[in-house]
Amino acid sequence: MAEPGALALARMRATGQIPLTAQVPAAWHRQAADAGRRLVEAVVPGRLPVVMLGWWDGVEPVAGGDTGVERTKTSQVVLLTFAAVLGACWPDRSEHPFPGSAAEEDIILAAVAALGPITASAVEGGAAARRHSKGALRRLDDARLLSIDGSEVRLGPAVALWSEEQVTAVRSVYDRLPRLEEPQ
């Protein structure tokens, strides 16, 4: 972590995260704050710690219009699969969801399947629906919203970036998250 703060912040912005090999220098925190950003350290069990660049509450760019910020629409399969991951990996609504706990991939896929057909191809059979949900897990892993290790799924470091305002919004639907109990 000997690199200058501006370079480190640029690397975090470009790659989403950088490995945390020592304490984050105070200068990095100051430079991030000057840009309306905050640094978040995240440790996914079994992985190296990382530091990421997040937004302070109230300064995240607004999307739409002529702001230059566009948000892509996420498919229903990805959204519902992520909801099932939250339901399986976030055991205590009073806590921040990250890091949460681990859940078996099969439990998450079964929770998604219990919702019923999500896509037209899902109506054709369970294998197609399972394939779509497994693909959604991979896309969510790529987005760092979850972390997959073998058959174990955990919430990913991008969830550590959620502000208290965002967590409060998700808490409001906590009881509606798809869940299946793991077999004893």
mmCIF file of all heavy atoms in Angstrom, residues 43-72:
data_model
loop_
_atom_site.group_PDB
_atom_site.id
_atom_site.type_symbol
_atom_site.label_atom_id
_atom_site.label_comp_id
_atom_site.label_asym_id
_atom_site.label_seq_id
_atom_site.Cartn_x
_atom_site.Cartn_y
_atom_site.Cartn_z
ATOM 1 N N VAL A 43 -13.966 -8.006 4.408
ATOM 2 C CA VAL A 43 -13.331 -9.308 4.487
ATOM 3 C C VAL A 43 -14.405 -10.365 4.265
ATOM 4 O O VAL A 43 -15.345 -10.485 5.047
ATOM 5 C CB VAL A 43 -12.668 -9.542 5.864
ATOM 6 C CG1 VAL A 43 -12.029 -10.924 5.916
ATOM 7 C CG2 VAL A 43 -11.643 -8.463 6.156
ATOM 8 N N VAL A 44 -14.289 -11.083 3.165
ATOM 9 C CA VAL A 44 -15.134 -12.243 2.927
ATOM 10 C C VAL A 44 -14.374 -13.420 3.522
ATOM 11 O O VAL A 44 -13.213 -13.641 3.161
ATOM 12 C CB VAL A 44 -15.378 -12.470 1.417
ATOM 13 C CG1 VAL A 44 -16.135 -13.763 1.188
ATOM 14 C CG2 VAL A 44 -16.131 -11.296 0.813
ATOM 15 N N PRO A 45 -14.964 -14.162 4.466
ATOM 16 C CA PRO A 45 -14.247 -15.276 5.081
ATOM 17 C C PRO A 45 -13.632 -16.198 4.026
ATOM 18 O O PRO A 45 -14.261 -16.527 3.026
ATOM 19 C CB PRO A 45 -15.337 -15.995 5.893
ATOM 20 C CG PRO A 45 -16.286 -14.881 6.242
ATOM 21 C CD PRO A 45 -16.305 -13.997 5.033
ATOM 22 N N GLY A 46 -12.384 -16.541 4.243
ATOM 23 C CA GLY A 46 -11.677 -17.414 3.317
ATOM 24 C C GLY A 46 -11.022 -16.686 2.159
ATOM 25 O O GLY A 46 -10.394 -17.300 1.308
ATOM 26 N N ARG A 47 -11.165 -15.378 2.089
ATOM 27 C CA ARG A 47 -10.562 -14.585 1.015
ATOM 28 C C ARG A 47 -9.715 -13.471 1.619
ATOM 29 O O ARG A 47 -9.863 -13.120 2.781
ATOM 30 C CB ARG A 47 -11.641 -13.982 0.120
ATOM 31 C CG ARG A 47 -12.507 -15.039 -0.527
ATOM 32 C CD ARG A 47 -12.797 -14.703 -1.934
ATOM 33 N NE ARG A 47 -13.556 -15.775 -2.564
ATOM 34 C CZ ARG A 47 -14.354 -15.584 -3.574
ATOM 35 N NH1 ARG A 47 -14.518 -14.381 -4.063
ATOM 36 N NH2 ARG A 47 -14.984 -16.599 -4.121
ATOM 37 N N LEU A 48 -8.873 -12.885 0.783
ATOM 38 C CA LEU A 48 -8.056 -11.760 1.228
ATOM 39 C C LEU A 48 -8.939 -10.533 1.473
ATOM 40 O O LEU A 48 -9.887 -10.301 0.733
ATOM 41 C CB LEU A 48 -7.016 -11.407 0.170
ATOM 42 C CG LEU A 48 -5.894 -12.408 -0.042
ATOM 43 C CD1 LEU A 48 -5.016 -11.974 -1.214
ATOM 44 C CD2 LEU A 48 -5.051 -12.546 1.209
ATOM 45 N N PRO A 49 -8.618 -9.743 2.493
ATOM 46 C CA PRO A 49 -9.366 -8.502 2.707
ATOM 47 C C PRO A 49 -9.149 -7.552 1.533
ATOM 48 O O PRO A 49 -8.110 -7.584 0.872
ATOM 49 C CB PRO A 49 -8.757 -7.924 3.983
ATOM 50 C CG PRO A 49 -7.832 -8.942 4.523
ATOM 51 C CD PRO A 49 -7.567 -9.948 3.468
ATOM 52 N N VAL A 50 -10.149 -6.700 1.287
ATOM 53 C CA VAL A 50 -10.067 -5.721 0.212
ATOM 54 C C VAL A 50 -10.510 -4.366 0.742
ATOM 55 O O VAL A 50 -11.160 -4.272 1.782
ATOM 56 C CB VAL A 50 -10.942 -6.113 -1.001
ATOM 57 C CG1 VAL A 50 -10.437 -7.397 -1.651
ATOM 58 C CG2 VAL A 50 -12.406 -6.222 -0.629
ATOM 59 N N VAL A 51 -10.148 -3.323 0.008
ATOM 60 C CA VAL A 51 -10.649 -1.983 0.289
ATOM 61 C C VAL A 51 -11.321 -1.499 -0.988
ATOM 62 O O VAL A 51 -10.842 -1.743 -2.094
ATOM 63 C CB VAL A 51 -9.537 -1.024 0.784
ATOM 64 C CG1 VAL A 51 -8.463 -0.809 -0.249
ATOM 65 C CG2 VAL A 51 -10.114 0.292 1.256
ATOM 66 N N MET A 52 -12.496 -0.868 -0.811
ATOM 67 C CA MET A 52 -13.303 -0.436 -1.946
ATOM 68 C C MET A 52 -13.708 1.014 -1.754
ATOM 69 O O MET A 52 -13.710 1.536 -0.638
ATOM 70 C CB MET A 52 -14.560 -1.305 -2.048
ATOM 71 C CG MET A 52 -14.257 -2.776 -2.231
ATOM 72 S SD MET A 52 -15.741 -3.783 -2.114
ATOM 73 C CE MET A 52 -16.227 -3.530 -0.429
ATOM 74 N N LEU A 53 -14.101 1.612 -2.857
ATOM 75 C CA LEU A 53 -14.514 3.007 -2.870
ATOM 76 C C LEU A 53 -16.036 3.068 -2.916
ATOM 77 O O LEU A 53 -16.658 2.556 -3.834
ATOM 78 C CB LEU A 53 -13.918 3.669 -4.120
ATOM 79 C CG LEU A 53 -13.866 5.167 -4.226
ATOM 80 C CD1 LEU A 53 -13.156 5.792 -3.028
ATOM 81 C CD2 LEU A 53 -13.154 5.557 -5.509
ATOM 82 N N GLY A 54 -16.637 3.660 -1.887
ATOM 83 C CA GLY A 54 -18.090 3.803 -1.834
ATOM 84 C C GLY A 54 -18.476 5.270 -1.808
ATOM 85 O O GLY A 54 -17.626 6.154 -1.863
ATOM 86 N N TRP A 55 -19.777 5.515 -1.731
ATOM 87 C CA TRP A 55 -20.309 6.881 -1.675
ATOM 88 C C TRP A 55 -20.772 7.178 -0.263
ATOM 89 O O TRP A 55 -21.270 6.308 0.435
ATOM 90 C CB TRP A 55 -21.501 7.036 -2.619
ATOM 91 C CG TRP A 55 -21.138 6.895 -4.055
ATOM 92 C CD1 TRP A 55 -21.264 5.777 -4.821
ATOM 93 C CD2 TRP A 55 -20.583 7.891 -4.903
ATOM 94 N NE1 TRP A 55 -20.818 6.021 -6.099
ATOM 95 C CE2 TRP A 55 -20.395 7.316 -6.171
ATOM 96 C CE3 TRP A 55 -20.218 9.216 -4.712
ATOM 97 C CZ2 TRP A 55 -19.859 8.024 -7.240
ATOM 98 C CZ3 TRP A 55 -19.699 9.919 -5.774
ATOM 99 C CH2 TRP A 55 -19.525 9.321 -7.027
ATOM 100 N N TRP A 56 -20.675 8.428 0.140
ATOM 101 C CA TRP A 56 -21.292 8.859 1.385
ATOM 102 C C TRP A 56 -22.788 8.976 1.129
ATOM 103 O O TRP A 56 -23.205 9.255 0.006
ATOM 104 C CB TRP A 56 -20.745 10.221 1.833
ATOM 105 C CG TRP A 56 -19.348 10.135 2.380
ATOM 106 C CD1 TRP A 56 -18.209 10.584 1.782
ATOM 107 C CD2 TRP A 56 -18.940 9.550 3.611
ATOM 108 N NE1 TRP A 56 -17.122 10.309 2.569
ATOM 109 C CE2 TRP A 56 -17.545 9.673 3.701
ATOM 110 C CE3 TRP A 56 -19.608 8.920 4.656
ATOM 111 C CZ2 TRP A 56 -16.808 9.199 4.785
ATOM 112 C CZ3 TRP A 56 -18.873 8.449 5.735
ATOM 113 C CH2 TRP A 56 -17.496 8.595 5.798
ATOM 114 N N ASP A 57 -23.587 8.781 2.162
ATOM 115 C CA ASP A 57 -25.036 8.958 2.030
ATOM 116 C C ASP A 57 -25.340 10.333 1.466
ATOM 117 O O ASP A 57 -24.774 11.334 1.901
ATOM 118 C CB ASP A 57 -25.729 8.820 3.388
ATOM 119 C CG ASP A 57 -25.910 7.378 3.807
ATOM 120 O OD1 ASP A 57 -25.756 6.484 2.957
ATOM 121 O OD2 ASP A 57 -26.204 7.147 4.997
ATOM 122 N N GLY A 58 -26.220 10.373 0.492
ATOM 123 C CA GLY A 58 -26.673 11.638 -0.054
ATOM 124 C C GLY A 58 -25.824 12.219 -1.164
ATOM 125 O O GLY A 58 -26.189 13.236 -1.735
ATOM 126 N N VAL A 59 -24.691 11.607 -1.488
ATOM 127 C CA VAL A 59 -23.868 12.156 -2.564
ATOM 128 C C VAL A 59 -23.705 11.194 -3.740
ATOM 129 O O VAL A 59 -23.009 11.505 -4.686
ATOM 130 C CB VAL A 59 -22.467 12.619 -2.071
ATOM 131 C CG1 VAL A 59 -22.582 13.742 -1.082
ATOM 132 C CG2 VAL A 59 -21.675 11.466 -1.512
ATOM 133 N N GLU A 60 -24.369 10.050 -3.686
ATOM 134 C CA GLU A 60 -24.304 9.126 -4.815
ATOM 135 C C GLU A 60 -24.950 9.792 -6.029
ATOM 136 O O GLU A 60 -25.979 10.458 -5.897
ATOM 137 C CB GLU A 60 -25.034 7.826 -4.487
ATOM 138 C CG GLU A 60 -24.926 6.804 -5.584
ATOM 139 C CD GLU A 60 -25.506 5.463 -5.204
ATOM 140 O OE1 GLU A 60 -25.725 5.202 -4.007
ATOM 141 O OE2 GLU A 60 -25.755 4.673 -6.116
ATOM 142 N N PRO A 61 -24.354 9.635 -7.204
ATOM 143 C CA PRO A 61 -24.916 10.287 -8.399
ATOM 144 C C PRO A 61 -26.353 9.850 -8.667
ATOM 145 O O PRO A 61 -26.704 8.690 -8.491
ATOM 146 C CB PRO A 61 -24.005 9.806 -9.528
ATOM 147 C CG PRO A 61 -22.782 9.291 -8.878
ATOM 148 C CD PRO A 61 -23.165 8.860 -7.507
ATOM 149 N N VAL A 62 -27.157 10.796 -9.069
ATOM 150 C CA VAL A 62 -28.540 10.531 -9.431
ATOM 151 C C VAL A 62 -28.558 10.084 -10.897
ATOM 152 O O VAL A 62 -27.877 10.659 -11.731
ATOM 153 C CB VAL A 62 -29.402 11.803 -9.246
ATOM 154 C CG1 VAL A 62 -30.827 11.572 -9.701
ATOM 155 C CG2 VAL A 62 -29.354 12.251 -7.793
ATOM 156 N N ALA A 63 -29.322 9.049 -11.182
ATOM 157 C CA ALA A 63 -29.383 8.535 -12.550
ATOM 158 C C ALA A 63 -30.529 9.180 -13.318
ATOM 159 O O ALA A 63 -31.504 9.654 -12.738
ATOM 160 C CB ALA A 63 -29.575 7.019 -12.524
ATOM 161 N N GLY A 64 -30.381 9.182 -14.641
ATOM 162 C CA GLY A 64 -31.460 9.623 -15.512
ATOM 163 C C GLY A 64 -31.303 11.046 -15.993
ATOM 164 O O GLY A 64 -30.378 11.763 -15.626
ATOM 165 N N GLY A 65 -32.235 11.417 -16.864
ATOM 166 C CA GLY A 65 -32.224 12.766 -17.420
ATOM 167 C C GLY A 65 -30.918 13.066 -18.127
ATOM 168 O O GLY A 65 -30.356 12.223 -18.806
ATOM 169 N N ASP A 66 -30.410 14.256 -17.911
ATOM 170 C CA ASP A 66 -29.156 14.641 -18.551
ATOM 171 C C ASP A 66 -27.991 14.585 -17.556
ATOM 172 O O ASP A 66 -27.002 15.282 -17.701
ATOM 173 C CB ASP A 66 -29.269 16.039 -19.161
ATOM 174 C CG ASP A 66 -29.623 17.105 -18.131
ATOM 175 O OD1 ASP A 66 -29.869 16.758 -16.964
ATOM 176 O OD2 ASP A 66 -29.642 18.288 -18.507
ATOM 177 N N THR A 67 -28.091 13.704 -16.536
ATOM 178 C CA THR A 67 -27.044 13.605 -15.521
ATOM 179 C C THR A 67 -25.802 12.892 -16.034
ATOM 180 O O THR A 67 -24.731 13.022 -15.442
ATOM 181 C CB THR A 67 -27.552 12.841 -14.276
ATOM 182 O OG1 THR A 67 -27.848 11.492 -14.652
ATOM 183 C CG2 THR A 67 -28.767 13.518 -13.670
ATOM 184 N N GLY A 68 -25.942 12.108 -17.100
ATOM 185 C CA GLY A 68 -24.811 11.327 -17.591
ATOM 186 C C GLY A 68 -24.658 9.993 -16.874
ATOM 187 O O GLY A 68 -23.784 9.208 -17.187
ATOM 188 N N VAL A 69 -25.511 9.732 -15.890
ATOM 189 C CA VAL A 69 -25.461 8.475 -15.155
ATOM 190 C C VAL A 69 -26.625 7.605 -15.609
ATOM 191 O O VAL A 69 -27.778 8.036 -15.585
ATOM 192 C CB VAL A 69 -25.553 8.709 -13.627
ATOM 193 C CG1 VAL A 69 -25.578 7.388 -12.870
ATOM 194 C CG2 VAL A 69 -24.406 9.580 -13.156
ATOM 195 N N GLU A 70 -26.306 6.411 -16.054
ATOM 196 C CA GLU A 70 -27.347 5.478 -16.473
ATOM 197 C C GLU A 70 -27.260 4.218 -15.630
ATOM 198 O O GLU A 70 -26.179 3.759 -15.302
ATOM 199 C CB GLU A 70 -27.165 5.109 -17.948
ATOM 200 C CG GLU A 70 -27.393 6.261 -18.888
ATOM 201 C CD GLU A 70 -27.272 5.850 -20.345
ATOM 202 O OE1 GLU A 70 -27.552 4.668 -20.659
ATOM 203 O OE2 GLU A 70 -26.876 6.694 -21.147
ATOM 204 N N ARG A 71 -28.384 3.697 -15.279
ATOM 205 C CA ARG A 71 -28.441 2.428 -14.551
ATOM 206 C C ARG A 71 -29.024 1.391 -15.503
ATOM 207 O O ARG A 71 -30.015 1.656 -16.188
ATOM 208 C CB ARG A 71 -29.332 2.555 -13.329
ATOM 209 C CG ARG A 71 -28.883 3.651 -12.394
ATOM 210 C CD ARG A 71 -28.808 3.149 -10.979
ATOM 211 N NE ARG A 71 -28.687 4.240 -10.045
ATOM 212 C CZ ARG A 71 -27.542 4.734 -9.615
ATOM 213 N NH1 ARG A 71 -26.419 4.247 -10.053
ATOM 214 N NH2 ARG A 71 -27.516 5.721 -8.738
ATOM 215 N N THR A 72 -28.404 0.234 -15.526
ATOM 216 C CA THR A 72 -28.916 -0.822 -16.387
ATOM 217 C C THR A 72 -30.016 -1.575 -15.651
ATOM 218 O O THR A 72 -29.981 -1.713 -14.430
ATOM 219 C CB THR A 72 -27.803 -1.806 -16.791
ATOM 220 O OG1 THR A 72 -27.204 -2.327 -15.602
ATOM 221 C CG2 THR A 72 -26.750 -1.129 -17.633
#
